[in-house]
Amino acid sequence: MTKIDTSRPETVLPTPSHTVGPFYGHALPFPGGGDIAPVGHPDTIALQGYVYDGEGNPLPDAFVELWGADPDGNVSTVDGSMRRDPSSGGFLGRNGVEFTGWGRIQTDANGHWSARTLRPGARGQSAPYLSVCVFARGLLVHLYTRIYLPGDDAALASDPLLAQVDEARRGTLIATDDGKGTYRFDIRLQGEGETVFLEFQ
């Protein structure tokens, strides 16, 4: 044990800063968090990707939250993503019928996340997109971004938000079509290929 002479303040070092750690994830994940689309819905799409830190390493303890409109562009007002048993308080899971448009996914040991949802419809002048919130170690404040889906070049070209993003970085907001209704969207927190993050004021 090291003793510190407190009578000499110049020898006392400041307490190191502490960032958000993996401890915050204790009660946040829930079973089926990525199963946003009702089971068996014919318009289900799959989204998947990785969360990477500034050195390109995958983060095994990040959270990705998704919000999206339904295929008609309507934002759901239905409760039901985390239903609980009123008598025991236990988790009942999603009801499997209602589309809530919301999900929370924890990355696995390889930094991978995946979700099943419905392809969102356009809202206003925006191209169809899903809103994303990222929580990860080292972040004092969570980050917001969007996932735009490919397939409608005219809508993407006229999207008001994408029009404000440098052309060289727009691709970080557009998922890649892997075929058969599966899209890939990697989130890079900083460094080369950093995802464009949004600030709401």
Side-chain angles (χ1 to χ4, degrees), residues 30-175:
F30 64 97
D35 297 327
I36 304 167
V39 176
H41 195 290
D43 299 325
T44 298
I45 63 169
L47 293 167
Q48 58 91 22
Y50 292 84
V51 178
Y52 296 106
D53 66 15
E55 296 178 346
N57 300 315
L59 291 179
D61 51 9
F63 281 107
V64 176
E65 287 190 354
L66 302 174
W67 294 271
D70 68 16
D72 295 323
N74 301 314
V75 175
S76 176
T77 58
V78 175
D79 292 330
S81 292
M82 295 190 291
R83 296 179 313 131
R84 297 202 174 272
D85 184 325
S87 59
S88 70
F91 181 74
L92 290 175
R94 297 178 188 266
N95 67 15
V97 177
E98 304 290 344
F99 174 71
T100 63
W102 178 82
R104 179 186 293 141
I105 308 101
Q106 182 171 8
T107 56
D108 65 16
N110 297 315
H112 185 260
W113 66 273
S114 63
R116 292 174 38 263
T117 189
L118 300 180
R119 187 179 180 104
R123 298 181 65 223
Q125 296 179 338
S126 297
Y129 68 88
L130 292 110
S131 296
V132 181
C133 185
V134 182
F135 301 81
R137 68 170 97 160
L139 296 180
L140 293 176
V141 178
H142 44 274
L143 301 173
Y144 294 99
T145 189
R146 286 183 177 180
I147 300 174
Y148 287 92
L149 298 176
D152 189 340
D153 292 341
L156 292 172
S158 63
D159 182 86
L161 187 136
L162 285 176
Q164 297 178 54
V165 177
D166 184 277
E167 189 172 353
R169 299 194 62 210
R170 267 181 225 153
T172 70
L173 295 176
I174 303 171

